[in-house]
Amino acid sequence: MPLKIYNTMGRRKEPFDPLVPGEVRMYACGPTVYDRAHIGHARAALTFDMMWRYLEYRGYKVIYVRNYTDVDDKIIKRAQELGRGWDSLAEEQIEVYRQDMGALGLRTPTHEPRATQHIQEMLTIIQVLIERGVAYCVDGDVYFEVRRCPDYGRLSHRSLEELRAGARVEVDHRKRDPLDFALWKSSKLGEPSWDSPWGPGRPGWHIECSAMSMKYLGETFDIHGGGADLIFPHHENEIAQSECATGKPFARYWVHNGFVNIHAEKMSKSLGNVLAVRDLLEHVTPGALKIFLLGTHYRAPLDFSEEAIGSAGRAEERLLNALSEIRRVQEVESPKANASQRDGPLLRRILHAEREFTDAMDDDLNTPRALAAMFDLVRDINISLKDAERGSDTSTIDSLGLAGDVVRSLGSVLGVLHEDWREKRVFSDTRVTTGAQVDASDYLEARKAIDEAFQSGKPLPEDRVRIIVERRRQCRDEQDWAGADSIRAWLAERGVIVEDTPRGARWHLTGPRA
RNA sequence: GGCGGCGUAGCCAAGUGGCUAAGGCAGAGGUCUGCAAAACCUUUAUUCGGCGGUUCGAGUCCGCCCGCCGCCUCCA
């Protein structure tokens, strides 16, 4: 079954067939770097990171370019407000963006070009457009003349008339058509400025993506994407200026991800409901955030809610638990069976899950279905784990190991399931009792120390907590259930949760991070 | 006004006209446990916003209606 991708251009799923067999060139519009990344940026970056990973999983060699818009009205404005240089603000925010995307486990694209480092390439394209008579210069500004482009509106499926009718832009009488857009803007005093044949100025917004995508990927390349809001005017204008300059088709597949709403409202500065990735990661694991985002198909609008992301976190736990259980069983029971004796039913389920996963992803990257395939396999794993635990069938151990590998591998295609993320959870600081003896004076001293720390709001001293937990274990060994229960309750009041396992008591801290 | 999207169980969310409508969360039973917790298993939509229509057959196609949203202006 071939991979199919929804192409905004034709508004339908199309079989994906790259220009050069086996190789994919893709470009995604990156952020304008004037503020921290929010959850919408995360969704866009994740969508293309996931696409990249899946294309590689499918065997393609991928060149992935994502730009930084590091000169723009918003950056200039923000820098002025902050009383600092626009370039240092952009530089700082690029670093912040990298950190945030890194925290989400997103890979760094093959190239991350910046607009300011490609001024010359932009000037070249603008020059060609003027020579070809599709762009004109007025008072140091250069505009693209929209009506010289016969296909204008092809991507957004709107005619020039329709666009003019709905236009809310103020009419600038220097332009030949209200829809003409700036390729080059003359700089005002104090604004960033580069020399050009039309005087000092700075690039218009759209030209940078044409310049950078074509520089790194060629005049025609496979995939171009971004948020759905970029369809018009950004991508429409990119197509117009690129194709008019080269006379060749620009991008072949246009991919757009849906928006993130916050409690059914659009996220916007004015509503004050912008959710920064950084702030979000204070409360949830990257894995939970990604499972939440991938739980909705990338083209559909996604509504953020605490409840939904909480349930994604518990779903992540479910996947992680299965993996650690496999590991535990493997430690206890060494595989005895050879390959031919492997557990048949589980093997079949593994193959089924892999097929289901790729079918789902082939169908326009249907990550909700792909996740479902993983959860199905996890259920089968859990059932087999029960069998293995009963000790009746050691032949399943081998297949369980394989099943775990498959879950990990599918998880890494979606970029979820980094097992080390689990350690970063606030509530996952677990320890197991050792069997050490605790005498009465140590116990009383530990209680006192814990109470002092608790009352002053400090983190509880872990070594003292351990002493209490060991003391409780002694009570249990002596079948002093009342004593054990009262210690458990005492600890719970101070934010320590104790859970008994076959290997001893496990405890973790809640509340303020230990 | 123009263009487009959405409405599926308590919540989130898949679903190429045709076997019993994925999956996750929550809920309910159960296993395990001294008790708990955690974990795991089982279970939870005669029905897909409403009304008509096409079809042997529709959540899936068509029409109308109701409700919600996005784009047309910077925006992922």
Side-chain angles (χ1 to χ4, degrees), chain A residues 168-471:
Chain A
R168 284 183 258 166
V169 278
E170 269 185 53
V171 180
D172 177 347
H173 292 289
R174 300 177 312 153
K175 294 201 285 189
R176 295 179 188 170
D177 188 296
L179 294 171
D180 288 354
F181 58 90
L183 296 166
W184 188 257
K185 301 175 174 180
S186 59
S187 293
K188 298 193 193 77
L189 199 64
E191 287 183 351
S193 163
W194 287 264
D195 288 333
S196 85
W198 318 283
R202 57 193 174 94
W205 175 35
H206 316 296
I207 193 68
E208 61 171 272
C209 286
S210 291
M212 293 187 276
S213 60
M214 293 197 283
K215 173 172 179 178
Y216 294 96
L217 302 174
E219 291 176 340
T220 301
F221 55 94
D222 298 302
I223 296 172
H224 192 135
D229 54 315
L230 298 179
I231 296 171
F232 189 90
H234 185 54
H235 289 160
E236 194 72 72
N237 292 350
E238 274 188 60
I239 294 170
Q241 66 201 5
S242 302
E243 299 196 345
C244 284
T246 67
K248 293 174 188 166
F250 186 47
R252 304 171 65 239
Y253 297 85
W254 287 90
V255 177
H256 294 97
N257 64 274
F259 259 45
V260 179
N261 297 320
I262 311 291
H263 301 303
E265 278 186 318
K266 180 174 172 170
M267 182 167 55
S268 74
K269 286 269 174 354
S270 53
L271 288 168
N273 61 356
V274 175
L275 271 179
V277 171
R278 287 209 156 196
D279 295 339
L280 216 42
L281 289 180
E282 297 276 313
H283 306 289
V284 300
T285 62
L289 178 53
K290 292 175 89 173
I291 287 172
F292 164 69
L293 292 171
L294 296 171
T296 298
H297 187 266
Y298 76 90
R299 281 191 284 114
L302 171 57
D303 194 40
F304 176 89
S305 72
E306 301 290 342
E307 193 187 350
I309 206 158
S311 84
R314 288 182 288 274
E316 181 193 22
E317 280 295 307
R318 180 174 169 80
L319 298 175
L320 257 18
N321 279 331
L323 293 183
S324 52
E325 281 303 296
I326 289 173
R327 212 161 253 159
R328 195 175 63 77
V329 170
Q330 281 177 320
E331 279 166 18
V332 179
E333 317 249 349
S334 57
K336 295 184 183 97
N338 58 42
S340 63
Q341 292 174 300
R342 275 180 174 174
D343 184 62
L346 183 56
L347 276 186
R348 275 199 297 280
R349 299 305 300 166
I350 291 169
L351 294 173
H352 180 260
E354 283 183 311
R355 196 176 61 239
E356 192 48 39
F357 182 90
T358 51
D359 279 356
M361 293 297 281
D362 277 348
D363 185 15
D364 193 30
L365 306 161
N366 192 326
T367 52
R369 253 176 76 196
L371 280 169
M374 289 178 62
F375 282 107
D376 280 337
L377 180 55
V378 162
R379 169 167 294 116
D380 294 322
I381 286 172
N382 285 329
I383 290 169
S384 287
L385 276 166
K386 276 285 180 290
D387 294 343
E389 214 155 55
R390 288 193 190 103
S392 56
D393 185 4
T394 50
S395 74
T396 58
I397 307 279
D398 257 8
S399 337
L400 277 170
L402 180 63
D405 292 343
V406 168
V407 169
R408 266 185 215 94
S409 135
L410 301 184
S412 75
V413 174
L414 295 182
V416 296
L417 283 190
H418 294 235
E419 285 167 80
D420 54 322
W421 285 343
R422 173 178 247 199
E423 304 309 317
K424 293 178 185 152
R425 272 191 167 241
V426 176
F427 303 128
S428 68
D429 186 14
T430 64
R431 306 219 167 17
V432 176
T433 47
T434 57
Q437 289 301 303
V438 176
D439 64 43
S441 63
D442 285 346
Y443 173 63
L444 291 172
E445 192 278 331
R447 279 182 73 123
K448 210 172 134 198
I450 289 169
D451 261 335
E452 278 169 17
F454 182 69
Q455 267 148 35
S456 57
K458 290 183 190 149
L460 305 188
E462 288 185 16
D463 52 335
R464 308 299 163 73
V465 175
R466 174 177 292 277
I467 289 170
I468 307 291
V469 175
E470 293 292 354
R471 174 72 186 186

Side-chain angles (χ1 to χ4, degrees), chain A residues 478-510:
Chain A
E478 293 156 15
Q479 303 209 334
D480 173 14
W481 309 124
D485 288 349
S486 83
I487 290 174
R488 183 168 64 196
W490 185 86
L491 284 170
E493 282 164 19
R494 286 150 186 82
V496 181
I497 304 301
V498 183
E499 294 161 0
D500 297 313
T501 77
R503 288 173 299 159
R506 180 172 67 187
W507 56 272
H508 63 261
L509 305 174
T510 64

Side-chain angles (χ1 to χ4, degrees), chain A residues 129 134-136 142-146 149 180-183 240-241 244:
Chain A
L129 291 171
V134 293
Y136 55 95
V142 180
Y143 292 99
F144 183 90
E145 191 168 5
V146 146
C149 182
D180 288 354
F181 58 90
L183 296 166
Q241 66 201 5
C244 284

Side-chain angles (χ1 to χ4, degrees), chain A residues 42-113:
Chain A
R43 188 181 193 197
L46 172 60
T47 297
F48 294 98
D49 181 74
M50 168 274 288
M51 183 176 294
W52 181 19
R53 287 171 193 257
Y54 187 64
L55 287 168
E56 288 192 341
Y57 178 77
R58 274 302 226 112
Y60 292 106
K61 183 170 171 287
V62 180
I63 301 175
Y64 171 37
V65 179
R66 185 185 62 208
N67 71 295
Y68 289 107
T69 299
D70 60 349
V71 57
D72 153 279
D73 291 349
K74 288 191 295 298
I75 297 171
I76 295 166
K77 180 161 174 271
R78 176 63 56 88
Q80 278 168 353
E81 287 165 5
L82 297 170
R84 58 186 294 191
W86 63 273
D87 45 353
S88 85
L89 173 65
E91 192 68 42
E92 170 194 285
Q93 289 304 317
I94 285 173
E95 190 47 42
V96 167
Y97 184 84
R98 284 198 172 132
Q99 284 171 11
D100 288 349
M101 296 307 123
L104 285 175
L106 305 188
R107 298 158 69 197
T108 306
T110 320
H111 301 286
E112 292 184 293

